[in-house]
Amino acid sequence: VPAMVEPVRERSTDGYAGADENNSINEVRAVWISYLDFGPMMTGKTEKQFKASIEKAFANIRNFGLNTVFVQVRPFGDALYQSDYFPWSYLVTGTEGKDPGYDPLAVMVTAAREHGLKIEAWINPYRVRAVGNDKALAASNPAKKWLDAGNRSVVKYDNVISYNPASKEAQELIVNGAREIIRKYDVDGIHIDDYFYPHEASAFDQIEYSQYKKNGGTMTQGDWRRANVESLLKALYSGIKAEKSTALFGVSPQSSIYNNYYIQYLDVEKIVSEPGYCDYICPQVYFGFDNEIQPFGETVDAWDDMIKTNSVKLYVGMAAYKVGLIDNWAGTGSEEWLQNDDLMQRMVEHSRKLKHYGGFAVYRYDSLFNPVAGVKKAVQKEAANLKEIL
């Protein structure tokens, strides 16, 4: 059973992991651009307006010293691109399924290449609607078609609509959607985050689990759920590689090994110990060094120690959104983000010593480049210190 934090072991001190003879590495320096960032750039805007906004954003990213963007192109079972599987996202026009007359992902791929950036398409494989999101589903949305037909490949539970991880039909849809992106767009990979099983999902898939047991299955419900997630990851990995062997597939789970295993039903230790699940793991280590429960140093060390195959790299997710604020869940370290202006710099320097380190990612674009007034000065100082080592 995975522990909350694994034991800390000795780590390399001879420069960056994977250093070549010139003592340099191809460090991934990424930023997440989420649907929250896209809203002001995209909703109700023309192609010309969106292009101007994304050009400015990518110029900011490149000038800062970053080299990779994770762009969230399927946040809610929809698409910020022309898809044969999913409807147009409401984020573009305000109405799901309405064709905006241009292709935002195509615009972003072109802009990324012009600015010398790598670009990965970030998708939420299962999520269709989260709590509080009451946007209407388009008639063309496969989730709506399945809900209307009583097909349990998609399930509505506690005001959440999610594709059912136990459904092979849903898995096939998700994999086909990822392959479509790789096939149609010059992206460098597919990136997924921590939305696996819905939270508080005790009865979410009871019908499917009961049928599994009736058919002679012997796994506990938890192990069965983890097997369902692993099945999707393997299919995504192999499907992406079949389209483009050099395309990467990365997973960005929560930083808590325990929460992943028991709440999200993702066995992170397994997927980073065996080839065929992912090319990199990017845990969201959104904590300071003084956090009482998950201090940054010990947490990333534990993730690095977990990796048992050289085919998996470790990217470290960092929380720009906490800069200049009190972290109410950090215990005695609650004021660390308020009292320091070099946390992200020190996080990168610490991570560069890890054996499997491949880079870092900052969440999220607006937090770093368009901070709210109350933390603007703090973010500027923190950003300047991070930039010094890039």
Side-chain angles (χ1 to χ4, degrees):
V1 177
M4 286 287 283
V5 178
E6 300 287 335
V8 179
R9 301 181 191 141
E10 293 296 322
R11 43 209 66 260
S12 62
T13 57
D14 54 351
Y16 298 174
D20 63 18
E21 61 184 0
N22 296 314
N23 198 33
S24 63
I25 60 166
N26 185 22
E27 180 180 56
V28 170
R29 303 169 177 177
V31 60
W32 279 287
I33 306 181
S34 85
Y35 77 93
L36 298 169
D37 301 306
F38 279 135
M41 297 184 195
M42 183 181 295
T43 306
K45 301 297 197 300
T46 64
E47 178 178 10
K48 183 177 180 181
Q49 289 171 320
F50 174 67
K51 185 175 181 181
S53 293
I54 210 66
E55 288 277 359
K56 179 180 178 181
F58 285 4
N60 288 340
I61 290 165
R62 185 69 217 186
N63 292 338
F64 189 84
L66 305 178
N67 58 26
T68 303
V69 290
F70 298 147
V71 293
Q72 191 171 26
V73 298
R74 197 196 309 156
F76 296 105
D78 49 10
L80 297 181
Y81 55 93
Q82 180 64 58
S83 175
D84 294 330
Y85 298 98
F86 299 96
W88 280 105
S89 175
Y90 67 82
L91 287 166
V92 193
T93 64
T95 302
E96 184 175 279
K98 184 176 180 180
D99 189 338
Y102 74 99
D103 189 322
L105 180 53
V107 171
M108 289 190 281
V109 168
T110 298
R113 299 311 178 207
E114 290 175 350
H115 290 278
L117 297 172
K118 290 187 176 181
I119 180 170
E120 294 189 24
W122 166 17
I123 64 175
N124 295 90
Y126 297 121
R127 185 175 69 183
V128 179
R129 289 293 184 268
V131 173
N133 184 340
D134 58 357
K135 290 286 187 179
L137 298 175
S140 61
N141 194 323
K144 179 172 175 54
K145 292 178 181 179
W146 284 343
L147 281 172
D148 290 349
N151 184 331
R152 285 186 56 81
S153 291
V154 66
V155 179
K156 187 173 184 179
Y157 182 85
D158 281 355
N159 296 315
V160 169
I161 302 175
S162 173
Y163 286 110
N164 192 337
S167 166
K168 295 301 181 185
E169 192 174 13
Q171 288 191 23
E172 183 178 0
L173 172 68
I174 293 164
V175 172
N176 284 340
R179 294 185 67 161
E180 175 186 49
I181 295 172
I182 297 294
R183 185 168 60 251
K184 291 171 61 175
Y185 299 91
D186 181 29
V187 296
D188 297 290
I190 298 291
H191 178 92
I192 66 173
D193 59 17
D194 61 329
Y195 287 93
F196 294 99
Y197 270 83
H199 287 263
E200 305 302 328
S202 58
F204 175 83
D205 52 1
Q206 192 59 48
I207 292 174
E208 287 72 34
Y209 181 65
S210 296
Q211 187 62 49
Y212 162 77
K213 294 284 284 185
K214 184 178 179 180
N215 292 339
T218 59
M219 286 189 284
T220 65
Q221 189 171 25
D223 286 342
W224 174 76
R225 285 176 168 177
R226 282 181 281 272
N228 290 332
V229 171
E230 290 158 17
S231 174
L232 176 66
L233 295 184
K234 275 192 170 183
L236 280 168
Y237 181 88
S238 60
I240 290 165
K241 299 299 182 182
E243 295 293 342
K244 183 179 177 181
S245 62
T246 57
L248 299 178
F249 176 50
V251 180
S252 180
Q254 295 183 19
S255 63
S256 168
I257 298 164
Y258 180 95
N259 287 352
N260 284 308
Y261 194 85
Y262 288 107
I263 298 175
Q264 297 291 319
Y265 296 97
L266 172 65
D267 186 347
V268 289
E269 187 169 4
K270 182 173 182 178
I271 71 168
V272 300
S273 297
E274 303 173 16
Y277 289 104
C278 61
D279 293 298
Y280 66 84
I281 196 84
C282 184
Q284 300 165 24
V285 193
Y286 297 161
F287 308 101
F289 290 92
D290 297 333
N291 186 288
E292 272 195 87
I293 299 172
Q294 283 193 270
F296 179 87
E298 286 87 340
T299 301
V300 295
D301 291 356
W303 278 91
D304 188 57
D305 287 336
M306 249 194 319
I307 300 173
K308 298 297 188 291
T309 171
N310 290 331
S311 66
V312 176
K313 291 293 184 183
L314 174 66
Y315 298 175
V316 179
M318 304 187 300
Y321 71 92
K322 286 191 173 181
V323 174
L325 298 173
I326 292 176
D327 188 349
N328 291 316
W329 299 97
T332 55
S334 62
E335 295 190 358
E336 185 177 12
W337 293 91
L338 195 62
Q339 296 175 343
N340 294 272
D341 60 14
D342 63 347
L343 285 179
M344 288 196 293
Q345 179 194 63
R346 287 191 280 133
M347 288 172 182
V348 172
E349 290 176 332
H350 178 101
S351 301
R352 283 174 172 173
K353 298 174 183 177
L354 302 177
K355 181 180 179 181
H356 300 285
Y357 176 75
F360 66 85
V362 178
Y363 185 83
R364 56 185 171 88
Y365 177 81
D366 275 352
S367 298
L368 188 62
F369 293 101
N370 295 314
V372 296
V375 297
K376 187 173 183 178
K377 289 184 178 179
V379 171
Q380 288 174 338
K381 291 179 180 178
E382 183 78 29
N385 284 322
L386 175 59
K387 190 174 180 180
E388 280 186 5
I389 62 170
L390 302 181

